[in-house]
């Protein structure tokens, strides 16, 4: 069965329209071209649906008091901190050693590191063994789908980005921070500076970026919390989609733990792209004029392929 022109046009308009909606949402935006080629564009139709049925306001920061189930984390922040700092001292909070973490691959270049506690279906075995108190606390809250310790060294930053999946919200709890306004996150341009024992909830699908302009490393508890929805059917759909994506992006702290298919594919593609990028860079250095000519030619080929799909 082949798609008619009308069906193809409808699919294209759905993606373009929803991607534009995501792009224009908020004050801070990525460059238009980057937004359309960014992986978040793939989720734009689904995310538009999440925004439509969201039971929380459409704004960068959310009222944390509306999530009283998270009080247990804040109330026990010193217990959580003790286990986090033990892992930090032992070197367990680290980058993905095999490039098999698709969700945060670009962060590692900036010195960002993590240790997963739970990822959607269940806690990681290494976390249960190394930080059992924190795992027990996190696991006691059903709408916390993912959790980790996240580290950002002093003098580092994370570039503007938006997370691709609107089925969740982001929760941060300060554990060991510089307690300074110079260590902060910008969500849609609005600033929040981490403090030990203080927490914040925000919508990570707004453009956000981070700056740690101190000399001290920042360690926080970082959680994905299920987005409350106003419709039971949409809640059920979101839980099913979240569970599927959680299995597909299953991460690991140690080699023995299972890695999801998306992360495995990312590791393979990283090896391929690194090799391909090396070849392209060498060719660019040897043939700079030809490289400048080939870039617009490639854009024409992509445009022709899209036109052929629509009209051919």
């Amino acid at each position: 069965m082949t798609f008619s022109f009308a069906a193809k046009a409808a699919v294209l308009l759905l993606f373009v329209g929803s991607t534009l909606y995501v792009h224009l949402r908020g004050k801070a935006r990525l460059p238009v071209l980057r937004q359309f080629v960014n992986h978040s564009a793939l989720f734009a139709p689904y995310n538009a649906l999440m925004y439509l049925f969201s039971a929380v306001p459409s704004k960068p920061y959310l009222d944390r008091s509306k999530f009283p189930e998270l009080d247990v984390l804040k109330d026990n922040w010193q217990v959580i901190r003790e286990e986090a700092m033990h892992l930090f001292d032992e070197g367990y909070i680290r980058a993905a050693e095999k490039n098999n973490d698709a969700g945060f691959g670009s962060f590692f270049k900036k010195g960002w590191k993590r240790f997963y506690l739970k990822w959607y279906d269940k806690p990681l075995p290494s976390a249960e063994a190394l930080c059992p108190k924190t795992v027990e606390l996190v696991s006691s809250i059903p709408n916390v789908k993912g959790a980790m310790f996240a580290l950002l060294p002093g003098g580092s930053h994370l570039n503007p980005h938006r997370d691709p999946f609107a089925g969740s919200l982001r929760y941060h709890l300060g554990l060991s921070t510089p307690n300074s306004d110079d260590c902060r996150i910008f969500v849609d341009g609005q600033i929040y500076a981490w403090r030990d024992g203080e927490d914040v909830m925000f919508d990570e699908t707004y453009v956000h970026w981070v700056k740690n302009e101190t000399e001290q490393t920042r360690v926080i508890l970082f959680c994905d919390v299920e987005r409350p929805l106003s419709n039971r059917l949409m809640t059920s759909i979101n839980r099913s989609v979240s569970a599927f994506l959680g299995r597909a992006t299953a991460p690991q702290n140690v080699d023995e733990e299972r890695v999801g298919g998306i992360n495995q594919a990312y590791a393979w593609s990283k090896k391929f792209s690194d090799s391909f990028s090396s070849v392209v860079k060498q060719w660019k250095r040897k043939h700079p004029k030809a490289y400048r000519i080939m870039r617009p030619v490639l854009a024409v080929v992509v445009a022709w392929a899209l036109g052929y799909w629509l009209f051919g």
Side-chain angles (χ1 to χ4, degrees):
M1 180 179 178
T2 59
F3 280 114
S4 66
F5 168 75
K8 293 176 181 178
V11 171
L12 182 60
L13 284 173
L14 174 65
F15 274 92
V16 171
S18 55
T19 301
L20 278 174
Y21 172 70
V22 170
H23 175 67
L24 296 173
R25 183 172 177 260
K27 297 177 181 178
R29 293 165 190 156
L30 301 175
V32 175
L33 180 59
R34 180 183 166 191
Q35 180 61 64
F36 274 88
V37 300
N38 187 270
H39 59 289
S40 66
L42 295 175
F43 287 92
Y46 184 84
N47 289 350
L49 204 60
M50 292 294 99
Y51 302 142
L52 178 64
F53 290 98
S54 181
V56 297
S58 181
K59 59 182 184 179
Y61 292 99
L62 300 165
D63 184 354
R64 219 290 280 151
S65 67
K66 301 297 183 182
F67 298 82
E69 66 275 16
L70 299 175
D71 289 348
V72 67
L73 299 178
K74 185 175 182 180
D75 291 345
N76 288 277
W77 77 271
Q78 290 174 310
V79 172
I80 297 170
R81 171 180 166 147
E82 183 178 351
E83 290 193 328
M85 298 316 293
H86 174 71
L87 292 178
F88 174 60
D89 292 339
E90 296 296 321
Y92 282 104
I93 305 178
R94 56 196 178 201
E97 297 178 344
K98 296 183 178 180
N99 287 321
N100 57 2
D101 195 334
F104 304 99
S106 63
F107 289 5
F108 299 130
K109 298 175 184 178
K110 305 296 184 180
W112 187 89
K113 298 178 175 65
R114 83 290 182 268
F115 182 89
Y116 285 97
L117 302 165
K118 174 186 178 182
W119 198 246
Y120 284 81
D121 55 348
K122 57 185 178 181
L124 277 71
S126 57
E128 290 180 306
L130 294 168
C131 42
K133 295 178 182 177
T134 303
V135 168
E136 183 178 2
L137 288 167
V138 168
S139 298
S140 71
I141 311 170
N143 62 337
V144 172
K145 301 303 181 182
M148 67 179 78
F149 295 130
L151 175 160
L152 185 70
S156 188
H157 69 280
L158 300 178
N159 291 326
H161 60 283
R162 67 167 83 247
D163 286 28
F165 183 61
S168 63
L169 301 167
R170 185 63 43 78
Y171 172 78
H172 284 180
L173 172 63
L175 300 176
S176 177
T177 75
N179 291 302
S180 166
D181 290 342
D182 290 331
C183 182
R184 59 206 185 278
I185 185 171
F186 301 76
V187 183
D188 199 33
Q190 299 179 33
I191 299 173
Y192 174 83
W194 293 281
R195 296 288 193 276
D196 292 358
E198 295 185 7
D199 56 6
V200 65
M201 178 80 72
F202 62 95
D203 185 337
E204 73 271 32
T205 59
Y206 282 98
V207 174
H208 55 285
W209 60 99
V210 173
K211 291 183 179 181
N212 184 359
E213 297 176 317
T214 74
E215 296 181 354
Q216 182 180 336
T217 295
R218 180 224 67 182
V219 180
I220 61 172
L221 176 66
F222 172 121
C223 298
D224 279 352
V225 179
E226 181 182 301
R227 178 186 288 271
L229 300 172
S230 60
N231 181 289
R232 288 186 179 181
L233 175 61
M234 292 309 304
T235 297
S236 178
I237 291 172
N238 188 43
R239 287 176 179 171
S240 297
V241 171
S242 296
F244 171 78
L245 291 175
R247 290 190 295 271
T249 57
Q252 63 176 193
N253 294 320
V254 296
D255 288 345
E256 296 76 19
E257 290 168 334
R258 173 185 170 271
V259 178
I262 288 177
N263 283 339
Q264 292 181 40
Y266 176 78
W268 178 87
S269 68
K270 195 75 171 61
K271 290 180 182 179
F272 174 79
S273 64
D274 287 347
S275 299
F276 180 74
S277 178
S278 177
V279 171
V280 170
K281 287 179 180 178
Q282 291 178 18
W283 190 81
K284 178 183 177 181
R285 284 195 295 267
K286 291 180 180 179
H287 310 282
K289 292 182 179 179
Y291 177 80
R292 287 195 294 270
I293 293 171
M294 287 300 296
R295 289 181 66 185
V297 169
L298 181 60
V300 170
V301 170
V302 171
W304 174 86
L306 181 59
Y308 181 81
W309 180 75
L310 277 171
F311 303 105

